[in-house]
Amino acid sequence: MRGAVFVGEGEIEVRDLADPRAENPDDVVISVAANGICGSDLRALTTPPQMIYETGVVIGHEFVGVVTEVGSGVTETEVGQRVTAVPNINCQTCWYCRSGNVNLCENFVHIGSMRNGGAAGYVVVPERLVVPVPDSLSDKMATLVEPLACVLNGTRSAAIHPGETVVVLGGGAIGMLYAMIFGGAGAQVIISEPGEKRAELAKELELGTVVNPLEQDVGEVVRDVTDGRGADISADTVGMLLGDAVSYVRKGGKVLMFGLNDLARADLSISDIVYRELHLHGVYIGKGTFPLAVDLLDQNRIGFDRLLTHSFDLEDSTSAIEAARTGEAVKAVIVPS
Ligand SMILES: [Zn+2]
Ligand SMILES: [Zn+2]
């Protein structure tokens, strides 16, 4: 098979690799139909890297495909079935796994950064992480299951109420998904996005008030629509805007920290958080949210399909990453030929 391998120094290379087989009893081999490029892939490809991926690993954790082989111990999953998967292999035995906080596992093996992922002809996952995809959900739409599952972990912890005001920082696929879910739940949404293409799409999708932070004072826009108080909730989907996210919420407001950048540090007033009794929530990957993500995408009442702006052949993986990096694409998908 061919696969897009992270070779270090901010580079990937599409290489010939051995076709993987079901070596463990619980292995499920999936012939990949599509794989989404994630913000974290872009973070791993900066110099210095803003996220650590192991070199020599096939990238990709937002994949969908058809099962072509199963191990001897696989009981529910069948050859020919269309599936996606939770791309984070938890250990099931550490304190966090045992206490139901499976997204905080101490011994995670992440598919697409620690072992081979979905930007390839085939990917192998343990059966317990397989998520069936209904026939009514297209391959490309199914690549949004993982990112949406992560977003739903955040929106659930925000416990939004209709009529509340939310400011979403960043209009990439994750920012748009946040805006869609918050808006769908009845919130008044403000999206801050400097990229023209993404801002345009957010406007077309009527996701809320779209603000260019390079041209307008986002805080002023937020205060204008909230009688000067500030938003009930802010969400930093970029991973380095915590100071801004804190400044945009009202007293007692919630700040969701979602975007990941290992190099980012915050410059903010700690006493401001105390005086105003703010709630800061870190949101890390999905947590029991995959089934709901599948259902929401399958219903497609919010126009999720519009986020899938670009599609590239696997051989063109570098272009896919470039399109995502420049903001030309909202969600770029790689399709193995
Ligand atoms: Zn992702
Ligand atoms: Zn664990």
Side-chain angles (χ1 to χ4, degrees), residues 190 209 211 216-226:
I190 297 161
T209 306
V211 184
Q216 253 180 306
D217 181 340
V218 180
E220 208 173 286
V221 175
V222 173
R223 287 189 294 276
D224 271 355
V225 299
T226 56

Side-chain angles (χ1 to χ4, degrees), residues 36-41 53 61-62 87 143 146-148 150 174 258 285 331:
I37 295 294
C38 177
S40 56
D41 300 326
Y53 279 18
H61 58 266
E62 304 175 355
T143 63
E146 193 273 344
L148 181 57
C150 297
I174 293 293
F258 184 94
I285 62 176
K331 184 53 100 178

Side-chain angles (χ1 to χ4, degrees), residues 112-137:
S113 60
M114 295 170 73
R115 70 177 234 177
N116 286 348
Y122 297 90
V123 63
V124 181
V125 302
E127 186 191 19
R128 65 191 168 82
L129 299 182
V130 162
V131 178
V133 170
D135 288 342
S136 45
L137 193 60

Side-chain angles (χ1 to χ4, degrees), residues 4-23:
V5 175
F6 176 59
V7 293
E9 307 286 316
E11 302 269 342
I12 57 158
E13 218 175 83
V14 180
R15 289 183 179 168
D16 282 326
L17 299 161
D19 285 355
R21 304 299 310 263
E23 282 166 19

Side-chain angles (χ1 to χ4, degrees), residues 10-216:
E11 302 269 342
I12 57 158
E13 218 175 83
V14 180
R15 289 183 179 168
D16 282 326
L17 299 161
D19 285 355
R21 304 299 310 263
E23 282 166 19
N24 301 304
D26 65 338
D27 277 349
V28 171
V29 183
I30 301 165
S31 167
V32 178
N35 178 88
I37 295 294
C38 177
S40 56
D41 300 326
L42 306 179
R43 300 270 188 241
L45 291 167
T46 58
T47 321
Q50 296 167 354
M51 262 188 85
I52 302 304
Y53 279 18
E54 285 176 20
T55 51
V57 161
V58 173
I59 66 163
H61 58 266
E62 304 175 355
F63 50 84
V64 59
V66 175
V67 176
T68 54
E69 188 190 352
V70 296
S72 57
V74 168
T75 52
E76 304 284 323
T77 307
E78 289 170 6
V79 169
Q81 203 176 349
R82 285 179 71 236
V83 298
T84 177
V86 178
N88 312 290
I89 306 174
N90 64 315
C91 74
Q92 297 183 292
T93 56
C94 75
W95 187 87
Y96 293 98
C97 283
R98 286 183 191 276
S99 60
N101 298 290
V102 291
N103 62 325
L104 303 179
C105 174
E106 296 270 29
N107 307 302
F108 260 140
V109 176
H110 298 291
I111 296 176
S113 60
M114 295 170 73
R115 70 177 234 177
N116 286 348
Y122 297 90
V123 63
V124 181
V125 302
E127 186 191 19
R128 65 191 168 82
L129 299 182
V130 162
V131 178
V133 170
D135 288 342
S136 45
L137 193 60
S138 73
D139 288 333
K140 281 182 191 161
M141 281 285 275
T143 63
L144 292 175
V145 169
E146 193 273 344
L148 181 57
C150 297
V151 165
L152 291 171
N153 183 17
T155 53
R156 196 172 51 183
S157 74
I160 189 84
H161 287 272
E164 287 187 329
T165 301
V166 182
V167 54
V168 176
L169 307 184
I174 293 293
M176 298 271 200
L177 288 172
Y178 265 105
M180 286 172 161
I181 300 302
F182 281 136
Q188 170 171 237
V189 177
I190 297 161
I191 309 168
S192 169
E193 167 56 44
E196 240 168 73
K197 293 239 162 155
R198 291 175 170 187
E200 205 47 55
L201 180 60
K203 281 180 197 160
E204 272 176 38
L205 290 169
E206 299 180 354
L207 295 184
T209 306
V210 183
V211 184
N212 183 335
L214 304 177
E215 291 169 2
Q216 253 180 306

